[in-house]
């Protein structure tokens, strides 16, 4: 009888580096547009003014924690009216379920903050390091002066984006122009600096280094998402019968189109993890 202990099941795998190639097309263009809109809304909203009369804050969207009020343009919500927000969140959740069941992973693919910031970081990476092949060469290269310079440029650019992200977040909780000047003068509340530091660090790490590890290990949505899909859901999935074995097709060999199609119900069960 063998005394060899079975290999323990590993619940975590380190990230494999991925070097995506630049792509063009309708859906990529759509993704750029959605990225511009979502980032634009996030960064610009705290700076929009909204006249509510004397003695009232003139910031269009403001979470006024000190006075326990939430302003959203012409709407003012007090804690005892929070059911409005709960109702909005329920409607947003139902909308998300509807879109997922009809169009698959559109939230993950286009609008999730993790996707939007990671996509932005990847684009910055491409501007600095070059496209896929150049990135692979640089990754394998020794740490010479050029690699150190490029890495420094990339990480500083990511850090700046991350800082702006954290900075934009705190402006939702106080009058943005006043807080901005206080931050510059070093007179803002310590909570503002701590929040900016946390948001900067998480954005930098999640978008720059963790990337899809967040989706695999930290996000609850993929666990729910699969339950929303059926064989009529539009989704991009890998079908082994079309892609394997990989390599060139030799003369006389059966091509992929010769392989009989898999019944829809069977093919749809092969969702990616
Ligand atoms: S899996 Fe989660 S973190 Fe990843 S893109 Fe989807 S919703 Fe965002």
């Amino acid at each position: 009888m063998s005394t060899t202990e079975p290999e323990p099941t590993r619940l975590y795998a380190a990230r494999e580096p991925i070097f995506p190639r630049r792509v063009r097309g309708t859906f990529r263009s759509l993704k750029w547009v959605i990225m511009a809109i979502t980032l634009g809304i996030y960064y610009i909203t705290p700076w929009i003014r909204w006249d509510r009369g004397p003695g009232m804050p003139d910031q269009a969207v403001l979470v006024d924690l000190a006075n326990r009020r939430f302003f959203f343009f012409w709407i003012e919500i007090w804690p005892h009216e929070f059911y409005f927000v709960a109702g909005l969140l329920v409607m947003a959740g139902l909308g998300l379920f509807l879109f997922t069941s009809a169009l698959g992973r559109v939230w993950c693919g286009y609008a999730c903050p993790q996707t939007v910031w990671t996509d932005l970081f990847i684009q910055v990476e491409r501007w600095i390091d070059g496209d896929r092949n150049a990135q692979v060469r640089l990754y394998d290269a020794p740490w010479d002066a050029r690699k150190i310079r490029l890495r420094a440029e990339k990480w500083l650019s990511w850090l700046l984006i991350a800082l702006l992200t954290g900075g934009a977040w705190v402006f939702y909780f106080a009058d943005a122009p006043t807080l901005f000047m206080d931050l510059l003068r070093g007179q803002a509340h310590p909570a503002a600096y701590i929040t900016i530091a946390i948001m900067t660090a998480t954005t930098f790490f999640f978008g720059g280094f963790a990337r899809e590890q967040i989706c695999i290990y930290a996000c609850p949505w993929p666990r729910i998402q699969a339950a929303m899909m059926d064989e009529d859901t539009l989704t991009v999935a890998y079908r082994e019968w079309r892609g394997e074995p990989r390599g060139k097709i030799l003369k006389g060999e059966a091509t992929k189109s010769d392989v009989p199609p898999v019944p829809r119900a069977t093919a749809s069960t092969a969702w990616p993890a």
Side-chain angles (χ1 to χ4, degrees):
M1 201 171 100
S2 169
T3 56
T4 316
E5 289 285 323
E7 284 271 316
T9 308
R10 297 190 57 195
L11 299 178
Y12 178 78
R15 180 174 185 267
E16 297 279 337
I18 297 172
F19 305 98
R21 196 164 61 87
R22 182 197 302 273
V23 290
R24 291 192 172 84
T26 308
F27 292 105
R28 182 61 258 188
S29 303
L30 180 64
K31 201 162 170 171
W32 288 131
V33 171
I34 293 175
M35 182 202 279
I37 292 172
T38 48
L39 288 178
I41 290 172
Y42 176 70
Y43 288 119
I44 292 170
T45 299
W47 299 93
I48 301 172
R49 302 291 99 187
W50 190 268
D51 185 10
R52 296 189 180 87
M56 295 293 282
D58 67 347
Q59 187 157 313
V61 178
L62 176 67
V63 182
D64 186 1
L65 287 178
N67 296 300
R68 299 183 180 82
R69 296 176 295 187
F70 171 51
F71 294 99
F72 185 81
F73 294 90
W74 63 94
I75 301 172
E76 182 181 348
I77 296 179
W78 289 77
H80 61 274
E81 295 168 331
F82 201 75
Y83 52 84
F84 283 125
V85 179
L88 276 175
L89 292 175
V90 169
M91 281 161 56
L94 291 175
L96 185 58
F97 296 164
L98 174 70
F99 273 96
T100 302
S101 64
L103 301 173
R105 303 185 65 197
V106 281
W107 167 257
C108 290
Y110 292 89
C112 170
Q114 175 65 15
T115 295
V116 172
W117 264 274
T118 299
D119 214 25
L120 181 61
F121 277 32
I122 287 174
Q123 185 55 33
V124 170
E125 189 166 61
R126 194 172 284 128
W127 282 331
I128 294 171
D129 292 351
D131 205 2
R132 181 195 145 73
N133 292 347
Q135 287 179 26
V136 174
R137 278 197 301 275
L138 189 64
Y139 181 81
D140 293 334
W143 280 91
D144 56 9
R146 178 175 173 272
K147 183 165 176 172
I148 291 171
R149 178 178 60 79
L150 290 175
R151 284 290 185 262
E153 280 178 23
K154 182 170 76 175
W155 292 343
L156 283 174
S157 305
W158 286 353
L159 204 55
L160 182 64
I161 296 170
L163 184 64
L164 293 175
T165 304
W169 178 253
V170 294
F171 292 146
Y172 283 86
F173 296 85
D175 181 64
T178 311
L179 179 58
F180 180 68
M181 294 311 297
D182 286 349
L183 286 169
L184 288 185
R185 291 192 205 104
Q187 294 171 349
H189 193 281
Y193 294 107
I194 293 169
T195 307
I196 292 174
I198 292 172
M199 290 288 290
T200 303
T202 49
T203 307
F204 181 71
F205 177 68
F206 289 177
F209 301 97
R211 297 190 177 174
E212 63 284 340
Q213 296 290 83
I214 299 297
C215 306
I216 296 169
Y217 293 105
C219 177
W221 180 231
R223 274 85 227 167
I224 309 166
Q225 190 170 231
M228 312 282 159
M229 297 182 175
D230 62 14
E231 63 269 25
D232 293 317
T233 304
L234 293 178
T235 190
V236 179
Y238 183 68
R239 291 187 173 171
E240 198 176 331
W241 66 271
R242 294 186 71 194
E244 303 295 339
R246 299 185 190 198
K248 287 187 178 160
I249 297 167
L250 299 174
K251 207 172 175 185
E253 261 189 351
T255 63
K256 289 166 191 164
S257 57
D258 298 328
V259 179
V262 175
R264 285 171 79 202
T266 308
S268 68
T269 58
W271 301 122

